[in-house]
Amino acid sequence: MNRISSVTLLLRTYVVIIASIGLFTSVCFAQFADAPPGDATNQTFDVVPYYSANPYSGITCTYSAKSLRINPLNYNTYSSPSPLMSWEPPPGVDIVKASMKVKDERHMFVLLSDGSIYGITINSVSAVVDGPTHLGDADALHGSQNFSDIVGDAVYALSNHAIYISRDSARTWQRDTAGIGSGSYYQIAMDTNQFVYAAHLNGLYKQHPDSNLWRKVTTFPKPNSLVAAVFVDRRNRVFARSSGNIYLSTDNGSTWNLDTAGIGSNNISRFCDDKFGNAYATDGHLLWRSMGGTQPWVRIDQPIQSYVYDPSAFLYKNLFNRISGDSLVYAATALGVFFSSNQGSTWIPDSAMAPAKFMYGFIKTASGKFLTSTNLGVYTKNPPDSVWKKTFPLNGFLSGSPIFTDGSGNAFTLGKRINGSDNLSMFSNWKSTDDGQTWNPDTTGLGAIGRGQNQIYSVDETGVQYFGAYDTPAPLYSKKAGQSWAPDTAGFGQGSSIYPFAFVIDRKGFVYVSIQNKTTYTSSFWKRPVTGGAWILDTNGLNGASIYALAADKSGNLIAGTYTGVYRNVGGTWSQIPYPSGLGGNNAFVVSVDSTGAIIAGFSSFVGFTALWHGVYATKDNGAHWTYLGLDSISVRGLVSYGDTTYAYTYANGIYRMRSASGGTLVNSSEIVRNYSLDQNYPNPFNPATTIRYSLAAASSVTMKIYNVLGQEVRTLFNGEQHSGIQQLQWDGKSQNGLTVSSGIYFYRIVAEEKNNGSIYSAVRRMVLLK
């Protein structure tokens, strides 16, 4: 067996989805529960359809930045059962494109943002899926480009600076820019004869399948102008967009016609077709269809637009990400996945294809019910029931809003803006008195606030609601139950330079607000009793640090997360506690304290305007020692503790939880682990040691081995039986037993056989050892 085939055999992953309930034993966050149905990431990038010979069944691959799902589809009922496979990319990278081979739709390539390529094989509509298996890296040498597209059988991967080609199923790559050179690359497309088209800053280019030279399509009406989009349908008609106009060629690019009837001059970003010969186009905001690909374009997006509950939300200004089609047409949108069985005349939301993972708030009511808010609205769940139910709004989808509960069992959230055409008008506020089942507006006096920027909202334990904004008549407003909204500025006045940017409630009788001065850019921190009164400064010891999150321990001492770390307030004085050693950044945007006194905080740093998340940590001794809990490279929006359990709700990865044992040792929850999974090692790259974590849905026989790039076994980390839950192992890359371990790429592979039914889970991930 040659080296390439041995690595192929080694890295093949057989994915088995197994549900179970188990006990956790390691220090780590575990996924809390299935997320509410529907994709709420604003990044449901695409739906890639695969169709079998059976006209009543098929498969769809739906992906967003942080998850990929392959679902069977029953055309008799247009329903999507449970997925055959769910997969998340390694931490720190995103999924940017999934593409079927042109001549063999059983094989799919998945391109990640770092240029790494994974392969998936679909044997049949109901068979087990092989993959995702790491195949290779399009740009292993440079590694700093933004990848965006992948097509073909001879595989082409596109970055913003270059095209790369692989002729051995994505395992080795060569830069492929001869004839084009430098400049910005936008899209690539391939016809059924393997001719490839490239949309480039300097025009449209084409490459013969037997050539490594790109030639400019000089017949294109704008031969030297920027071409921003190109698409080839299954009838080999070529659509290209330049200078806002669509051009169509039906003879492989020899001649072109202007194709703007019904669509005009629009910045089309994506095209697709269906098996009936129709063409589809989107500019991100609207959808069009051309019957047969040759008729005038007509709009078909209105039925989907009707689901938008708050049209003023910036999120929905670019509603559509991609469209794709065959027997059915799919629209991947900020509202999730929609499909049409009549070429776009009507649309049906398919919430089973991509679960919501973008969370804006999470609360647990006095009765034990969970409420979470997403980009699609508010969902409720009553444990141990695993089903989330959408309760607000009843019709349409709502942009993400915070959610709160008071001390009397009431829940609060925000609805659409009062003036739907003004994106600075105030949000309507809503209240539920029955654990989030029904909601009613609570907006008396809200119209008097007017309009303002940077609106923030909170609710304290007595049910008083708070609004903050700037460019409003007053920067702060509050509303007691049954009363009207009124200014709440006693103590610091109504200066035009005041910029409120965070409310925090300590649940110990005080409400706090972080204020920034727009002129001096200095921060201050204020408090007052929830029962009313004047605001007073509470900055002793903060040294100007801006507070983003606040929690209180059982003794009433405050814990604050700031851009310079974690602070603790004892006896009225703030002092900074040490943050985890070796951490890449000390911005503590989220913080919580559980009933055992453990402080839980999430840290990040910035590169330009991009936040790099470094995980969640916990300390039981005020920062003298920290325990890493997981969620590295995952953006955590908030931490909430109820008793000894802390919940982390995230920007695009769902909800997680951690349980702190009363004896002083942090352990993870004794509740739900639904799937087997293998996490990315941490740290990565590493020198010399790294930690590998994985989840077992049930008691299993487990083997964990390390391999080099030649498929040779380097070390066996574990071979034995383990109970269900989240486990962890360490690999020290130091040489031992006469075996030299050098710097380079290695693979770690888990094989877990469930003891009850013999089901096999196998997965592989890549890691880098640097010496």
Side-chain angles (χ1 to χ4, degrees), residues 593-670:
V593 182
D594 69 14
S595 61
T596 73
I599 300 172
I600 302 98
F603 295 89
S604 71
S605 60
F606 279 92
V607 175
F609 293 100
T610 301
L612 303 178
W613 283 85
H614 301 295
V616 177
Y617 292 76
T619 178
K620 289 236 177 188
D621 50 16
N622 295 317
H625 301 89
W626 289 88
T627 300
Y628 172 68
L629 301 177
L631 304 188
D632 176 56
S633 300
I634 293 177
S635 299
V636 179
R637 183 178 290 274
L639 296 169
V640 181
S641 294
Y642 292 100
D644 62 0
T645 302
T646 298
Y647 300 86
Y649 54 95
T650 72
Y651 283 84
N653 289 272
I655 305 170
Y656 297 76
R657 73 172 152 212
M658 184 278 301
R659 178 171 165 263
S660 179
S662 58
T665 302
L666 290 168
V667 298
N668 43 348
S669 172
S670 61

Side-chain angles (χ1 to χ4, degrees), residues 59-234:
I59 284 178
T60 55
C61 170
T62 307
Y63 62 93
S64 64
K66 296 297 184 182
S67 65
L68 178 147
R69 291 162 62 95
I70 293 183
N71 283 70
L73 180 67
N74 188 320
Y75 287 130
N76 287 315
T77 59
Y78 295 125
S79 63
S80 295
S82 299
L84 296 175
M85 187 196 75
S86 296
W87 180 69
E88 295 183 358
V93 294
D94 294 337
I95 299 170
V96 296
K97 184 66 184 295
S99 177
M100 293 287 191
K101 280 191 172 184
V102 173
K103 292 187 176 181
D104 185 358
E105 291 186 339
R106 295 176 304 162
H107 297 283
M108 176 185 295
F109 296 111
V110 182
L111 173 67
L112 303 188
S113 56
D114 64 353
S116 56
I117 314 294
Y118 285 72
I120 299 174
T121 300
I122 302 172
N123 294 325
S124 71
V125 168
S126 59
V128 171
V129 177
D130 291 347
T133 299
H134 180 258
L135 301 177
D137 300 287
D139 187 16
L141 294 178
H142 297 86
S144 60
Q145 304 188 54
N146 297 318
F147 284 82
S148 61
D149 209 352
I150 186 168
V151 298
D153 296 353
V155 190
Y156 291 80
L158 179 73
S159 79
N160 56 328
H161 296 308
I163 297 174
Y164 296 85
I165 186 171
S166 172
R167 301 191 185 279
D168 57 3
S169 296
R171 285 164 178 80
T172 61
W173 293 83
Q174 295 82 41
R175 195 177 180 95
D176 185 29
T177 59
I180 303 180
S182 61
S184 298
Y185 292 74
Y186 296 101
Q187 287 183 12
I188 49 178
M190 177 180 287
D191 66 22
T192 59
N193 297 315
Q194 306 288 298
F195 285 86
V196 187
Y197 294 82
H200 186 264
L201 174 67
N202 297 324
L204 182 67
Y205 291 81
K206 183 178 180 180
Q207 187 183 84
H208 190 283
D210 297 327
S211 173
N212 61 358
L213 181 67
W214 292 90
R215 291 179 171 84
K216 180 174 285 191
V217 182
T218 57
T219 58
F220 188 68
K222 300 275 188 178
N224 298 313
S225 298
L226 183 154
V227 177
V230 63
F231 172 74
V232 184
D233 70 9
R234 64 200 74 190

Side-chain angles (χ1 to χ4, degrees), residues 241-456:
R241 193 263 290 178
S242 180
S243 302
N245 293 322
I246 299 174
Y247 297 91
L248 170 64
S249 174
T250 59
D251 54 9
N252 302 310
S254 297
T255 60
W256 296 83
N257 293 302
L258 190 65
D259 188 22
T260 57
I263 199 171
S265 180
N266 278 283
N267 292 323
I268 298 302
S269 57
R270 298 286 173 183
F271 296 92
C272 84
D273 67 335
D274 62 24
K275 78 171 189 177
F276 307 108
N278 301 310
Y280 301 84
T282 180
D283 63 353
H285 180 57
L286 306 174
L287 289 180
W288 288 270
R289 180 192 64 217
S290 171
M291 293 294 290
T294 58
Q295 301 300 309
W297 297 89
V298 295
R299 276 187 59 186
I300 57 172
D301 57 272
Q302 292 92 337
I304 298 178
Q305 298 278 2
S306 67
Y307 282 88
V308 177
Y309 185 68
D310 182 12
S312 68
F314 177 78
L315 175 67
Y316 303 136
K317 297 303 181 184
N318 289 290
L319 185 61
F320 300 97
N321 293 312
R322 287 197 179 107
I323 49 177
S324 57
D326 197 276
S327 298
L328 303 181
V329 180
Y330 296 91
T333 81
L335 303 174
V337 175
F338 290 78
F339 69 86
S340 174
S341 60
N342 51 17
Q343 295 85 64
S345 297
T346 59
W347 294 89
I348 300 172
D350 190 342
S351 60
M353 296 179 70
K357 292 187 176 182
F358 205 117
M359 306 297 170
Y360 285 82
F362 178 84
I363 59 174
K364 182 180 180 181
T365 67
S367 65
K369 182 169 292 186
F370 294 119
L371 280 73
T372 185
S373 57
T374 75
N375 280 356
L376 304 187
V378 174
Y379 289 80
T380 66
K381 186 175 75 168
N382 192 16
D385 185 5
S386 62
V387 178
W388 288 92
K389 176 186 176 184
K390 182 182 176 184
T391 62
F392 177 77
L394 293 179
N395 298 308
F397 295 139
L398 177 68
S399 177
S401 298
I403 189 167
F404 300 95
T405 184
D406 61 16
S408 301
N410 301 309
F412 302 81
T413 192
L414 298 179
K416 60 184 177 180
R417 296 182 187 272
I418 294 177
N419 183 352
S421 62
D422 181 3
N423 61 6
L424 293 182
S425 68
M426 300 302 293
F427 290 101
S428 59
N429 60 304
W430 294 68
K431 180 178 180 179
S432 172
T433 59
D434 55 5
D435 277 346
Q437 298 308 297
T438 59
W439 295 83
N440 294 291
D442 191 18
T443 57
T444 303
L446 188 61
I449 298 179
R451 65 196 299 268
Q453 303 179 59
N454 193 53
Q455 297 177 30
I456 56 175

